[in-house]
């Protein structure tokens, strides 16, 4: 029996593929990409951020593309956090960090259970509240009036501490951490051998001076992963294009975890 020749039309919709799929100059765009991301995009990010970091960023080894900043941070947690490892976060915080405010999902027979990126990797969260301005409840105040209590940060650390998550410019407060605050945080992380995950997805929006913690010293840069987002930069959050910038030895493990989460972006 002769086999019927398969049509190029989609079996599901009975519509032809887009014309660009037939164009030999465009075909490379429709196949799986390298897990670390398109080289052209990585080079563009490195070119854009190198002046901001004050050094040349290697697009091949120091940049990895992720499916949005959210998946990038999940890849960082999966790449470094083992069950029982502790992660310090500042309160209030973006909802993906914490089990109390994480996205609601259904797991096995446990209904209405919340899970966060940190918990998914087996991590334990340690909270450090940002200090609101004393008159914040009665007067209009600036987000910059919120402060960091370094004594509270040190108290939250233990022998199990593995990572500190920083979010500046901050969501939801809007605070931009001062250079002095970042220096104190960075020096403490160097002293305690902590990885810094610096969520800087709003880095192009500030109207006041903005310091990147990875630029403060070589020792701090050596343990910092900086998170960026095309969705936030270009007001197109549906794009789901994010990236992490950091030293090659850290980016290596983020990229390895990323390949098991969604392979390529």
């Amino acid at each position: 029996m002769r086999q019927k020749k398969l049509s190029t039309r989609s079996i599901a919709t009975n519509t032809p593929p887009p014309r660009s799929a037939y164009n030999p100059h465009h075909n490379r765009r429709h196949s799986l990409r390298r897990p670390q991301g398109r080289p052209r995009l990585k080079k563009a990010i490195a070119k854009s951020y190198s002046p901001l970091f004050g050094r040349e960023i290697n697009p091949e080894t120091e940049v990895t593309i992720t499916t949005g900043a959210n998946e990038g941070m999940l890849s960082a947690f999966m790449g470094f956090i083992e069950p029982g490892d502790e992660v310090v976060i500042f309160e209030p915080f973006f909802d993906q960090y914490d089990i109390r405010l994480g996205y609601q999902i259904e797991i096995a027979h446990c209904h209405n259970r919340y899970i966060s990126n940190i918990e998914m990797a087996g991590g334990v969260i340690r909270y450090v509240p940002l200090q609101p301005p004393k008159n914040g409840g009665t007067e209009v105040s600036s987000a910059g009036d919120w402060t960091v209590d370094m004594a509270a940060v040190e108290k939250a650390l233990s022998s199990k501490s593995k990572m500190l998550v920083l979010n500046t410019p901050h969501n939801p407060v809007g605070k931009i951490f001062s250079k002095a605050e970042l220096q104190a945080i960075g020096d403490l992380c160097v002293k305690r051998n902590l990885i810094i995950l610096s969520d800087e997805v709003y880095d192009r929006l500030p109207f006041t001076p903005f310091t990147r913690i990875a630029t403060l010293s070589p020792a701090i840069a050596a343990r910092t992963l900086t998170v960026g987002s095309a969705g936030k930069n270009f007001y197109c959050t549906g794009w789901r294009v994010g990236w992490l910038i950091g030293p090659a030895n850290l980016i290596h493990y983020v990229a390895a975890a990323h390949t098991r989460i969604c392979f390529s972006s």
Side-chain angles (χ1 to χ4, degrees):
M1 179 182 295
R2 294 182 60 186
Q3 291 184 331
K4 184 178 180 180
K5 184 178 180 180
L6 293 177
S7 170
T8 58
R9 292 177 178 270
S10 165
I11 296 174
T13 63
N14 198 34
T15 57
R19 295 185 63 85
S20 61
Y22 299 106
N23 188 327
H25 298 293
H26 293 168
N27 280 348
R28 66 179 183 271
R29 300 179 183 176
H30 304 298
S31 61
L32 285 173
R33 307 304 303 173
R34 297 176 60 195
Q36 295 86 356
R38 292 176 64 93
R40 182 179 176 186
L41 176 57
K42 285 156 61 77
K43 290 178 181 178
I45 291 170
K47 182 179 179 180
S48 176
Y49 278 85
S50 288
L52 303 178
F53 277 67
R55 67 175 183 85
E56 287 298 316
I57 295 172
N58 186 326
E60 185 64 27
T61 61
E62 297 183 312
V63 179
T64 194
I65 308 302
T66 59
T67 308
N70 192 327
E71 189 267 324
M73 285 184 274
L74 174 60
S75 294
F77 295 134
M78 289 294 187
F80 292 102
I81 302 303
E82 298 182 17
D85 285 344
E86 295 179 356
V87 180
V88 175
I89 64 174
F90 292 98
E91 296 181 290
F93 40 76
F94 181 48
D95 59 10
Q96 69 162 304
Y97 302 156
D98 179 40
I99 188 172
R100 294 177 297 172
L101 296 176
Y103 292 105
Q104 185 175 356
I105 65 173
E106 182 178 311
I107 303 177
H109 301 292
C110 300
H111 296 276
N112 299 322
R113 173 171 169 76
Y114 290 84
I115 192 166
S116 72
N117 283 356
I118 296 172
E119 185 197 34
M120 190 178 295
V124 177
I125 302 172
R126 298 301 181 206
Y127 308 95
V128 176
L130 293 174
Q131 302 301 306
K134 294 180 179 179
N135 60 347
T138 57
E139 300 179 15
V140 176
S141 60
S142 169
D145 293 335
W146 290 67
T147 59
V148 177
D149 182 351
M150 287 305 300
V153 178
E154 292 198 54
K155 187 177 180 180
L157 300 179
S158 74
S159 60
K160 297 180 180 180
S161 299
K162 174 70 74 69
M163 182 182 289
L164 181 144
V165 178
L166 179 68
N167 181 203
T168 179
H170 188 273
N171 179 10
V173 171
K175 171 183 172 60
I176 296 176
F177 284 65
S178 70
K179 184 177 181 179
E181 288 172 332
L182 295 175
Q183 188 72 60
I185 292 169
D187 289 343
L188 180 60
C189 289
V190 171
K191 177 182 177 182
R192 299 297 295 267
N193 194 30
L194 303 181
I195 297 169
I196 302 169
L197 184 63
S198 188
D199 180 356
E200 300 178 10
V201 297
Y202 296 104
D203 63 341
R204 305 301 176 113
L205 304 183
F207 295 99
T208 57
F210 171 66
T211 300
R212 300 174 188 278
I213 193 169
T215 66
L216 294 180
S217 76
I220 293 174
R223 62 188 60 255
T224 300
L225 290 164
T226 300
V227 183
S229 167
K232 297 297 192 299
N233 286 348
F234 299 104
Y235 311 104
C236 298
T237 52
W239 282 8
R240 310 315 302 154
V241 177
W243 51 81
L244 272 74
I245 300 171
N249 63 311
L250 298 185
I251 289 295
H252 172 79
Y253 291 102
V254 174
H258 168 74
T259 63
R260 302 277 66 86
I261 295 172
C262 63
F263 186 72
S264 65
S265 302

